[in-house]
Amino acid sequence: MIGYPLLLKILHKLLSHKKIKIDHSYQPMVSIIVPAHNEENVIEKKIVNLLNISYPKDKYEIIISSDNSTDKTNNIVKSYQVQHKDSIKLYNVESRKGKTNAQDEAVDIAKGEILVFTDANSIFDKQALTELIKTLSDRSVGYVAGKLSYLNSAENKTSESEASYWNIDLSLRLMESDLSSITAGNGSIYAVRKDDYIKIDPIFSHDSIFPPKLVNLGKRAVFNKDAIAFEKAGETDGDEFIRKVRMARKNIAINFIDIQKYNIQRNKLFSLFYISHRTFRNNLYLFHILLLLFNIFMVIQSNYLIYAFFLVVQILFFVIAIVGKNSVNKYIKLIFYYTMTIVAQAVAAFKEITGKSKAFWEKADTTR
């Protein structure tokens, strides 16, 4: 959490940056795929947003992949199909199997050379699609993620904490992208070529699987800060906790997928980035448990007061997190937020071990 950002900043200053060769004349056919389950509150705004982006109207199609929606989502999409029958498609997934499966099924009917994926509650900046396509005009790039910006970062302490953490993470991704490849994307805005699309186990998400897979295939996964999507962060601790448990639902298994990603001799900086930014961070809960147990053991076995001091510091840290849940102090709230993150990882790991992880989930209402 501290050492890796410092190391990355040093490497970013010392090492040469990889350039993207942009072909401004590149305007391929694009399929924008929006997986949706019961998104009647946001789907109309999403469609209107995508109909008004800056890209030739005859060069993109919008596919709403409705994951067995039971509300008015499908009817809203159909009402727009009447006026935009050539550009809007409704694909109805008959049996709900989750976001990744809904994306897979939509890809099967997609006409685009480029596949752009986005969530129903994300709003694209007017130039977002153009920026994604511009990046993929470089054939060495296999995956491009845009920048997710939170609309409600200043509205309450939960969304402010998430936005603060996210902004730090985005700065790391930018440096990773400049030097090699990013280690993960985000589901709000990203793109791949249809030829490079890979169907994965639906329990996993593209965000975490696609970047290392494409790097293993000899391509780059990059971050374009000018391809912007807007979204609301969770506004309650409960919503944010549920979201983090979902995001970490396969953190154990993902350590062992595509083992080649750890081959530093082959992937060089990317492997260093992945181990530091993903493998270690995904297992923070485990490190904290081991650190606490080791600290207790050393206090029992040793007379050195330094071990007792560190044990007190650890306990005090978690006590502050517990009592500081409703604090208005941003530093105390940040300690709570960090602790909530590692507890969410532990809960997700327990669910994974006990076979309770699932490919679909209930959305956080405050993000809509």
Side-chain angles (χ1 to χ4, degrees):
M1 298 298 295
I2 299 172
Y4 177 60
L6 291 175
L7 173 63
L8 195 54
K9 284 184 178 181
I10 293 170
L11 293 176
H12 195 253
K13 286 182 179 293
L14 295 179
L15 301 180
S16 60
H17 298 179
K18 292 190 173 182
K19 302 295 184 183
I20 295 174
K21 299 174 183 176
I22 295 171
D23 178 0
H24 291 282
S25 66
Y26 183 61
Q27 285 191 333
M29 181 65 187
V30 179
S31 295
I32 305 175
I33 296 173
V34 185
H37 173 74
N38 290 354
E39 295 285 7
E40 63 181 11
N41 293 333
V42 296
I43 198 64
E44 182 173 13
K45 186 177 180 181
K46 179 69 176 184
I47 292 171
V48 171
N49 169 241
L50 292 179
L51 286 172
N52 288 283
I53 52 179
S54 295
Y55 198 76
K57 303 304 178 187
D58 61 339
K59 289 282 190 176
Y60 72 94
E61 61 178 356
I62 303 165
I63 304 175
I64 309 298
S65 188
S66 179
D67 193 18
N68 197 231
S69 293
T70 56
D71 65 352
K72 297 177 184 177
T73 297
N74 292 1
N75 290 335
I76 294 170
V77 177
K78 287 176 183 176
S79 69
Y80 276 88
Q81 279 186 299
V82 175
Q83 290 180 298
H84 306 277
K85 60 182 180 179
D86 294 329
S87 55
I88 296 177
K89 294 179 182 177
L90 172 64
Y91 180 84
N92 193 31
V93 180
E94 293 184 5
S95 178
R96 189 183 180 199
K97 297 177 183 176
K99 177 180 179 178
T100 302
N101 176 74
Q103 291 170 321
D104 284 345
E105 293 195 26
V107 168
D108 289 339
I109 65 164
K111 295 180 179 177
E113 175 185 337
I114 303 295
L115 305 174
V116 172
F117 297 93
T118 179
D119 292 331
N121 62 320
S122 303
I123 297 300
F124 274 18
D125 175 76
K126 239 178 166 23
Q127 296 296 323
L129 183 57
T130 300
E131 288 293 333
L132 291 175
I133 302 308
K134 182 173 73 174
T135 307
L136 284 172
S137 68
D138 187 334
R139 297 296 300 185
S140 70
V141 176
Y143 175 99
V144 55
K147 175 184 176 182
L148 172 61
S149 181
Y150 286 118
L151 292 166
N152 57 338
S153 59
E155 289 185 11
N156 60 67
K157 290 300 176 183
T158 299
S159 56
E160 182 183 1
S161 296
E162 169 60 18
S164 297
Y165 175 83
W166 181 242
N167 288 336
I168 293 170
D169 202 73
L170 288 179
S171 68
L172 300 182
R173 293 180 191 214
L174 181 59
M175 290 185 284
E176 289 174 346
S177 183
D178 285 344
L179 295 172
S180 178
S181 286
I182 57 174
T183 55
N186 74 80
S188 302
I189 177 167
Y190 64 100
V192 297
R193 292 182 189 81
K194 190 172 184 180
D195 289 346
D196 291 329
Y197 187 81
I198 305 163
K199 289 189 178 181
I200 61 176
D201 185 334
I203 193 70
F204 294 100
S205 64
H206 292 167
D207 319 9
S208 54
I209 298 293
F210 272 20
K213 271 194 177 296
L214 286 163
V215 168
N216 281 342
L217 291 173
K219 298 198 173 185
R220 289 181 67 200
V222 302
F223 171 62
N224 184 335
K225 63 181 177 59
D226 296 319
I228 303 170
F230 301 94
E231 193 174 293
K232 289 176 69 178
E235 294 180 350
T236 68
D237 294 332
D239 268 355
E240 197 57 35
F241 182 77
I242 291 170
R243 191 179 74 89
K244 289 188 177 300
V245 171
R246 168 178 64 80
M247 290 170 62
R249 69 192 185 279
K250 295 299 285 183
N251 270 2
I252 296 175
I254 208 168
N255 292 325
F256 307 101
I257 291 178
D258 300 317
I259 295 297
Q260 193 68 22
K261 65 192 175 188
Y262 298 121
N263 188 337
I264 292 181
Q265 185 176 4
R266 181 178 184 271
N267 293 326
K268 299 180 174 62
L269 282 176
F270 175 78
S271 293
L272 172 65
F273 295 165
Y274 193 90
I275 292 167
S276 303
H277 199 170
R278 298 300 154 195
T279 307
F280 287 170
R281 288 198 184 192
N282 288 347
N283 293 283
L284 272 172
Y285 72 98
L286 182 60
F287 295 155
H288 275 285
I289 292 170
L290 293 175
L291 183 63
L292 184 60
L293 292 176
F294 178 76
N295 204 162
I296 292 171
F297 175 78
M298 292 306 294
V299 167
I300 295 170
Q301 295 293 320
S302 171
N303 293 323
Y304 290 110
L305 289 178
I306 189 69
Y307 295 117
F309 170 76
F310 280 121
L311 181 60
V312 170
V313 170
Q314 285 197 72
I315 294 172
L316 184 61
F317 182 88
F318 293 121
V319 168
I320 291 172
I322 294 168
V323 301
K325 177 180 179 181
N326 299 314
S327 174
V328 295
N329 183 288
K330 67 178 182 179
Y331 298 108
I332 293 177
K333 188 65 180 181
L334 198 59
I335 290 174
F336 166 78
Y337 184 82
Y338 175 81
T339 304
M340 179 178 71
T341 300
I342 61 176
V343 171
Q345 286 184 347
V347 170
F350 177 77
K351 287 187 173 184
E352 185 176 356
I353 291 169
T354 56
K356 294 180 180 177
S357 293
K358 57 184 181 179
F360 57 87
W361 55 87
E362 301 305 318
K363 57 186 175 289
D365 290 335
T366 58
T367 63
R368 262 60 186 168

